[in-house]
Amino acid sequence: MSLPLELVPLILQHLAPRHLLNTCLVSHAWAYHSLTRFYDTVYIHTSHQLKSFLKSLQVLPLAYRSAIRAILMNDGAFYCQYGMEITCIAIFASHCPSLEALSCVKPCDTLLSNDPVVTDWAHGYPMSLAIDHILNVDLPYFPRIRRIRLLMQPDSVHQQEPLYRQLTDLALSDEQLDSVVQLFPVPHRPILDLFPALRTLHLDDLDDDYPLDDNALFWLQDHCRSLHHLSMKGITLSGPRLLVKGPVHSSVRSLVLRLVDIESDEWFPLLTTLYPGLQLLSLVDMHFQYREVPRSMLEGLLSWITACRSLASFSIDEHFTTPDWTMEEVLDGLVDHMNSGSWNCQLRHFEMSTSYSHETFPAKRLLECQPLMQQLDTLFLPLVSTDDPSQDELQVELDDCSSGLPALFRLCHLTPGTFANLTTLHLTQDRGHTHVSLIQLLLMCPSLTSLSLACVDLHHEACPRHFPDSPPDTFNLANLTVMHTDVYRSDLFFYLLQHQLPRLASLAFIDTRIHQLSLDPQGSGPFLHLNVALRSLWVIAVNINDHSCSSLCLHEHQSSGRMVRYTSQPTREKEKYKPPTDFHVACLYADHVLFNHSEHFF
């Protein structure tokens, strides 16, 4: 009995790209459906991939070009081809007639993202949208476009109205939003919503002469009734005109404010009323007028956060501005509300990041708030900067088991079980390198499935005083990202990867220096043997024993033996004193492989 062809596309949508290439061999009908699914979403990481994709579009059959629904580009690749920006968009418009989504993203940014396509592409690391580029082609050239994440030309907003009703994702400047508000004012009850399907809106500041007031947010409530995700960057929220209870935009689930200037504390009760259903709130490099009314602004901010009854994800970062407030004040205030019982906290995801030197470890009180820590499943944590010698003393004070070793991150003083429910942990540092014990992290977080480490010195051994027993044979870790990191005792690290992580599905080395790795003198180079199937493997700017990895050779285990599935082109750059080396990785298979000898594109 043959399978009805109507069921084939439903089955193929659950298969990985590698399996789609196999199903192409079944029949002509299966080949068509398999390749249609294969070309559905195009990921572009590097400028070389962008050039290759543009070239292949010229010869790809129309049936497969018509299958392309989404193009997702690394902002670095797009920026490298800045002179080709108009050409790229024009080619996409003319050769991808069914294109529905076009986006640029910034890997490894601090901004939270709720887009599963973006976060999956970024190896589980959060990515923010890069909406700095201008779409130089009018929307009518993309008749099926639904998700557009490039800014439209400033003077073309009114020309795009025919396609507004089909958009689900849109980026606008504050000036463009003001123009739309003026062109389509809100009557008492609008007959037709201008953006009835819009679920995600990104507002970016291109002109300081266009501050937004509450009228613009009320307009969004009337014309974007299905809006779920709202982000603002560089926007100035001027004093609200409405001082009484305003309308309710109950559909909004996430709000991201980056470099946003809030001029009055009257905004906080208004935001509380306007967005009662917030589940995600991200505050990045905010500007609050603390100099005028410091206590009222802080209390207003805390009142807004604690009044969000459905809030499950919270992010607070400070990087590029000199704050009139400090992150410790906000964190201390939240901990006080938590300990006093005045905040019915429902947080599951907590992210904080900073590039400033602090007199105290910013997360110290947060980590010691056991009720909050035990309910979290995701934690992003900045480590203390080690550029300042006084910070080394501070880190030693935090860990009475450091035995004088500077900048050691162990936190043995925390109550056992503090991280019992943690499944995702990101540790990062802006300056300096803190020593981190990988085994101790896995022991302290027994439920951990995703771990990302950035700018640390990675060691192996756990604290013998608090973890005297031998570690278990295996751990639950499935996703590991090591970035801008020095790895020591690499033999033990490789042994962990090869024998103690049976669930490993995603592995990324990005600007990673691997030290003290024993090599087979008769072998062809460093070899990592994994007996797992990888969903993704990233090897970017890796250095092993002071030799840069010029190429990646991927071996896949087959029933007939081991075969080479992928070999990258070696770099033409030669080191002056030490020759480059080849990095070999063996696994059952790897669906998504990315190699680059340099991190410049990333």
Side-chain angles (χ1 to χ4, degrees):
M1 180 178 177
S2 62
L3 184 69
L5 286 179
E6 293 80 2
L7 299 179
V8 173
L10 301 177
I11 297 173
L12 296 179
Q13 68 181 356
H14 298 286
L15 299 183
R18 61 175 288 107
H19 300 305
L20 293 174
L21 296 178
N22 292 330
T23 57
C24 284
L25 305 177
V26 176
S27 67
H28 288 290
W30 276 66
Y32 170 77
H33 290 296
S34 298
L35 290 177
T36 298
R37 176 62 185 172
F38 182 81
Y39 285 108
D40 180 82
T41 302
V42 177
Y43 303 103
I44 300 175
H45 291 279
T46 67
S47 57
H48 174 73
Q49 290 178 348
L50 178 58
K51 292 179 180 178
S52 298
F53 178 62
L54 294 175
K55 184 177 180 180
S56 65
L57 283 178
Q58 311 294 328
V59 297
L60 195 66
L62 176 61
Y64 302 133
R65 287 191 282 110
S66 299
I68 298 175
R69 298 290 190 272
I71 298 177
L72 205 61
M73 295 177 290
N74 185 314
D75 178 58
F78 200 59
Y79 181 78
C80 289
Q81 301 299 318
Y82 188 77
M84 295 177 57
E85 183 174 327
I86 298 178
T87 303
C88 291
I89 302 299
I91 293 177
F92 294 159
S94 60
H95 289 75
C96 305
S98 302
L99 192 65
E100 297 180 359
L102 179 60
S103 302
C104 275
V105 292
K106 291 182 178 180
C108 305
D109 205 346
T110 58
L111 206 58
L112 291 174
S113 173
N114 261 4
D115 190 329
V117 175
V118 172
T119 53
D120 181 67
W121 178 56
H123 210 80
Y125 206 91
M127 301 178 71
S128 69
L129 298 170
I131 57 175
D132 303 326
H133 303 285
I134 304 296
L135 180 66
N136 290 290
V137 178
D138 291 337
L139 289 185
Y141 286 93
F142 298 94
R144 297 189 181 183
I145 198 72
R146 295 182 181 276
R147 303 170 64 189
I148 183 69
R149 293 177 173 179
L150 301 175
L151 286 171
M152 293 182 291
Q153 298 184 72
D155 56 351
S156 67
V157 176
H158 65 285
Q159 303 171 5
Q160 320 294 343
E161 182 193 354
L163 293 180
Y164 282 166
R165 284 170 172 64
Q166 71 185 43
L167 294 179
T168 61
D169 199 327
L170 178 64
L172 291 174
S173 70
D174 51 353
E175 180 180 356
Q176 290 171 336
L177 177 60
D178 185 71
S179 298
V180 174
V181 172
Q182 299 299 324
L183 287 171
F184 307 96
V186 178
H188 180 64
R189 290 286 298 177
I191 300 176
L192 291 175
D193 297 349
L194 191 61
F195 300 101
L198 196 65
R199 297 176 63 86
T200 302
L201 176 63
H202 309 277
L203 299 178
D204 203 322
D205 173 51
L206 293 181
D207 194 330
D208 293 335
D209 295 335
Y210 285 88
L212 294 183
D213 56 22
D214 50 356
N215 181 61
L217 300 184
F218 298 159
W219 186 93
L220 293 177
Q221 187 272 336
D222 281 307
H223 281 282
C224 309
R225 298 180 184 273
S226 300
L227 189 65
H228 281 196
H229 312 292
L230 175 61
S231 69
M232 306 182 195
K233 178 184 176 183
I235 301 294
T236 296
L237 296 179
S238 58
R241 304 174 186 176
L242 184 62
L243 301 181
V244 297
K245 186 176 181 180
V248 176
H249 204 165
S250 57
S251 65
V252 176
R253 295 290 180 265
S254 70
L255 179 63
V256 177
L257 304 179
R258 182 167 195 167
L259 293 168
V260 171
D261 190 349
I262 296 183
E263 294 185 345
S264 170
D265 61 346
E266 295 172 345
W267 271 102
F268 297 120
L270 185 60
L271 292 171
T272 303
T273 302
L274 187 58
Y275 305 120
L278 281 185
Q279 298 175 5
L280 181 149
L281 176 61
S282 181
L283 307 177
V284 183
D285 291 330
M286 297 291 293
H287 297 271
F288 298 119
Q289 300 298 332
Y290 266 60
R291 294 187 180 92
E292 300 177 6
V293 280
R295 294 312 306 173
S296 63
M297 291 294 285
L298 177 60
E299 292 171 0
L301 176 61
L302 293 174
S303 298
W304 176 34
I305 296 173
T306 56
C308 297
R309 303 299 181 185
S310 303
L311 195 63
S313 299
F314 178 68
S315 170
I316 180 169
D317 302 344
E318 55 181 33
H319 286 275
F320 304 114
T321 61
T322 303
D324 299 320
W325 55 288
T326 61
M327 192 163 57
E328 289 98 330
E329 291 180 287
V330 179
L331 296 178
D332 288 348
L334 293 178
V335 171
D336 290 339
H337 279 281
M338 186 79 177
N339 292 333
S340 66
S342 59
W343 181 22
N344 182 22
C345 179
Q346 303 296 322
L347 289 182
R348 295 293 181 270
H349 181 129
F350 198 103
E351 176 182 346
M352 56 179 297
S353 181
T354 180
S355 61
Y356 290 94
S357 299
H358 293 264
E359 295 180 359
T360 60
F361 183 36
K364 185 175 186 297
R365 285 200 65 198
L366 182 73
L367 293 175
E368 293 173 349
C369 184
Q370 190 172 2
L372 176 59
M373 287 294 104
Q374 289 184 339
Q375 72 181 36
L376 293 180
D377 57 41
T378 302
L379 178 63
F380 287 62
L381 191 66
L383 301 181
V384 175
S385 171
T386 59
D387 284 353
D388 184 357
S390 64
Q391 301 296 329
D392 292 347
E393 301 176 3
L394 168 62
Q395 189 69 66
V396 171
E397 292 177 3
L398 291 173
D399 180 13
D400 57 0
C401 301
S402 60
S403 303
L405 182 63
L408 181 64
F409 182 79
R410 281 179 172 167
L411 298 182
C412 294
H413 70 289
L414 294 178
T415 304
T418 299
F419 303 124
N421 298 317
L422 207 62
T423 60
T424 302
L425 176 63
H426 293 252
L427 295 179
T428 186
Q429 189 168 35
D430 183 73
R431 297 185 301 274
H433 278 241
T434 291
H435 297 267
V436 173
S437 167
L438 179 58
I439 288 294
Q440 182 151 336
L441 285 179
L442 296 176
L443 292 174
M444 294 178 67
C445 311
S447 302
L448 199 65
T449 58
S450 296
L451 175 63
S452 177
L453 303 170
C455 300
V456 300
D457 285 348
L458 188 60
H459 294 264
H460 193 78
E461 296 81 1
C463 169
R465 175 179 172 183
H466 288 87
F467 298 90
D469 300 331
S470 300
D473 293 334
T474 61
F475 297 96
N476 296 320
L477 196 66
N479 306 295
L480 177 62
T481 299
V482 182
M483 182 183 307
H484 310 305
T485 289
D486 286 273
V487 179
Y488 296 94
R489 301 295 302 275
S490 298
D491 290 339
L492 295 177
F493 177 65
F494 271 42
Y495 181 87
L496 173 74
L497 296 177
Q498 295 172 160
H499 303 288
Q500 295 182 274
L501 301 181
R503 296 179 175 84
L504 188 66
S506 180
L507 180 62
F509 296 126
I510 304 171
D511 187 26
T512 301
R513 293 163 295 280
I514 299 175
H515 304 280
Q516 305 165 339
L517 180 65
S518 299
L519 301 177
D520 182 1
Q522 304 299 324
S524 56
F527 214 123
L528 177 61
H529 297 269
L530 301 174
N531 193 31
V532 295
L534 294 177
R535 175 175 55 84
S536 62
L537 172 65
W538 285 18
V539 178
I540 302 171
V542 172
N543 184 292
I544 299 179
N545 294 348
D546 294 329
H547 295 264
S548 63
C549 293
S550 59
S551 65
L552 171 67
C553 186
L554 177 65
H555 306 258
E556 291 190 355
H557 299 296
Q558 305 289 338
S559 56
S560 58
R562 193 171 66 200
M563 65 174 293
V564 177
R565 172 68 69 175
Y566 168 89
T567 301
S568 65
Q569 293 293 329
T571 177
R572 297 179 180 178
E573 298 179 6
K574 302 295 183 180
E575 296 187 34
K576 293 183 178 180
Y577 306 107
K578 297 181 180 179
T581 186
D582 300 327
F583 187 25
H584 295 258
V585 178
C587 60
L588 299 182
Y589 63 81
D591 282 327
H592 181 194
V593 180
L594 177 63
F595 172 81
N596 200 299
H597 71 280
S598 170
E599 64 162 339
H600 294 312
F601 81 98
F602 197 68

